[in-house]
Amino acid sequence: FKENRKDDIWLVDFYAPWCGHCKKLEPVWNEVGIEMKNMGSPVKVGKMDATSFSSIASEFGVRGYPTIKLLKGDLAYNYRGPRTKDDIIEFANRVAGPLIRPLPSQHMFKHVQKRHRVLFVYVGGESPLKEKYIEVASELIVYTYFFSASEDILPEYVILPELPAVVVFKDGTYFVYDEYEDGDLSSWINRERFQGYLNVDGFTLYELGDTGKLVAIAVIDDKNSSVEHTRLKSIIQEVARDYRDHFHRDFQFGHMDGNDYINSLLMDDLTIPTIVVLNTSNQQYFLPDRHIENTEDMVQFINNILDGTAEAQGGDGVLQRIKRIIYDAKSTVVSVFKSSPLLGCFLFGLPLGVISIMCYGICTADTDGGIDENEATKKENGDRELTDEGSEEEQEEEKNEKYTELSDGELKQKNILEKKKD
């Protein structure tokens, strides 16, 4: 494989036999291989036991299992998307194809625009901007497609201030890259590769962390059709659509089904439906200080965040990190007991039982030892007294003999001395 892999394009699953996620991926991976073969794709699909061939896995930077990589020449592209058949195949076809795909006609442009919700297009001839565009495409092709076209291919409503230009088409409109306002081209493309409004899940939220944008989310229950749930979702959608020119550089909008993930992220129990704004770069979040009734209230809330008057909660400070450790530990214990009470009792009860027995043994040993030592000392002292002075009867006889030999005055004096001694 090492000698011949550069002759072909390979999509490889690096797995470990004991990995549960790898076993879950296996049937999906088999479907990927069959469909890629039936499509006549030039991409060869394979899998490798990374524990048996650790040197090859290390060469490709495999640090976890499963790891999916597309190997193309000297380059290795890491797949970070959902582990579904369609997503993996779409990734393989995108990365295996040309880095920059030309659009030769308006018909082709319309066809591509219908297929892709987000479309990046370079317009113009050879230039330093095109070189930069190709460089960025080689890095971000794992996320999105890159195209090139002449100005006459674009729709009539597109107005470009100058050429060459990079344009992104999404949400029924377009945005032109401006180096002075948008900064680095790579950062701009990374920010704009998502639609303005998304159905957000844990994976998408993780990906949005790379954009640097704030994420405004309506946390709702998709199965609940009550007025309050649908109203908050509609408010977020309206702001994303009607105020995109004002907020698209700084905000990403969407809704999330359920509050389980968001609760674990914020270490708080949010009552749904609600609205929360996340800063994924520093783990801060913002909650509205009053009920969001309409679009105007939401716009005001966003403006308060932008001008710094809204109170930020959370963060990545030392106290928050300690809180995170405690919260994660507590969540782990609770989840274990919920999923398997017997296993939880065994895992946590056994160590506690052993520690308790050890502590009891130590305490008992110290107490008994102290008692035995005191008794031994008393016994030793008693024996010593008996040995030195004899029995009580012998002592009494000796006293009587002495009393007969003493005079009355001496006897009184002796009694006084003995009382003092006693």
Side-chain angles (χ1 to χ4, degrees), residues 37 63 82 116 145 175 250 269 305 308 310:
K37 183 178 181 180
R63 296 182 177 84
H116 303 287
Y145 287 89
F175 302 99
D250 302 304
D269 189 12
I305 294 174

Side-chain angles (χ1 to χ4, degrees), residues 24-39:
K24 187 177 179 180
L25 177 63
E26 186 174 1
V28 177
W29 195 253
N30 292 335
E31 293 179 5
V32 169
I34 293 171
E35 186 155 335
M36 294 288 283
K37 183 178 181 180
N38 293 337
M39 292 167 53

Side-chain angles (χ1 to χ4, degrees), residues 125-378:
E126 298 296 327
S127 68
L129 181 61
K130 185 176 182 179
E131 295 177 2
K132 181 65 176 177
Y133 184 73
I134 295 173
E135 179 184 338
V136 173
S138 65
E139 175 188 355
L140 301 181
I141 189 69
V142 294
Y143 299 120
T144 188
Y145 287 89
F146 294 88
F147 298 89
S148 63
S150 58
E151 188 176 11
D152 59 339
I153 298 299
L154 302 181
E156 295 181 356
Y157 63 82
V158 177
I159 300 175
L160 301 179
E162 62 179 2
L163 291 177
V166 178
V167 189
V168 59
F169 294 87
K170 65 177 183 177
D171 303 326
T173 185
Y174 69 96
F175 302 99
V176 182
Y177 168 66
D178 187 328
E179 183 178 2
Y180 297 101
E181 292 188 7
D182 299 318
D184 182 63
L185 178 62
S186 178
S187 300
W188 178 77
I189 292 177
N190 201 34
R191 289 196 304 271
E192 298 298 334
R193 62 186 175 92
F194 295 97
Q195 292 178 276
Y197 183 88
L198 297 169
N199 184 355
V200 181
D201 56 15
F203 176 79
T204 306
L205 195 58
Y206 174 79
E207 288 292 300
L208 289 173
D210 295 335
T211 67
K213 289 185 178 183
L214 299 173
V215 186
I217 303 175
V219 186
I220 62 173
D221 182 358
D222 276 338
K223 297 179 182 178
N224 192 324
S225 58
S226 65
V227 175
E228 186 65 12
H229 286 257
T230 56
R231 186 179 63 82
L232 287 183
K233 181 178 177 180
S234 298
I235 288 175
I236 295 290
Q237 288 175 328
E238 289 174 10
V239 173
R241 181 186 67 243
D242 300 337
Y243 292 85
R244 63 164 61 96
D245 293 337
H246 298 84
F247 299 138
H248 87 274
R249 279 190 172 91
D250 302 304
F251 275 84
Q252 179 69 48
F253 298 93
H255 78 274
M256 177 175 284
D257 181 22
N259 62 347
D260 291 340
Y261 184 82
I262 206 74
N263 284 346
S264 65
L265 190 66
L266 305 185
M267 295 180 290
D268 198 358
D269 189 12
L270 293 183
T271 303
I272 57 175
T274 188
I275 287 176
V276 61
V277 175
L278 304 174
N279 187 340
T280 53
S281 62
N282 60 8
Q283 300 181 17
Q284 287 184 342
Y285 63 95
F286 302 85
L287 296 174
D289 56 359
R290 58 176 180 169
H291 193 62
I292 302 295
E293 295 287 349
N294 48 46
T295 304
E296 288 71 24
D297 290 343
M298 187 65 200
V299 171
Q300 182 61 47
F301 177 44
I302 291 175
N303 285 327
N304 291 342
I305 294 174
L306 291 176
D307 61 26
T309 57
E311 180 184 359
Q313 302 182 49
D316 54 0
V318 176
L319 293 178
Q320 285 297 121
R321 293 177 184 178
I322 295 174
K323 183 180 178 182
R324 168 61 64 186
I325 294 173
I326 297 173
Y327 180 87
D328 290 342
K330 179 181 176 182
S331 300
T332 301
V333 173
V334 171
S335 63
V336 168
F337 274 98
K338 281 185 176 180
S339 60
S340 179
L342 292 177
L343 178 62
C345 292
F346 177 78
L347 291 177
F348 298 102
L350 182 62
L352 289 176
V354 172
I355 293 172
S356 300
I357 293 172
M358 291 175 62
C359 293
Y360 176 77
I362 292 172
C363 295
T364 305
D366 288 343
T367 304
D368 294 344
I371 292 173
D372 294 341
E373 185 178 350
N374 291 335
E375 290 179 351
T377 303
K378 288 180 180 179

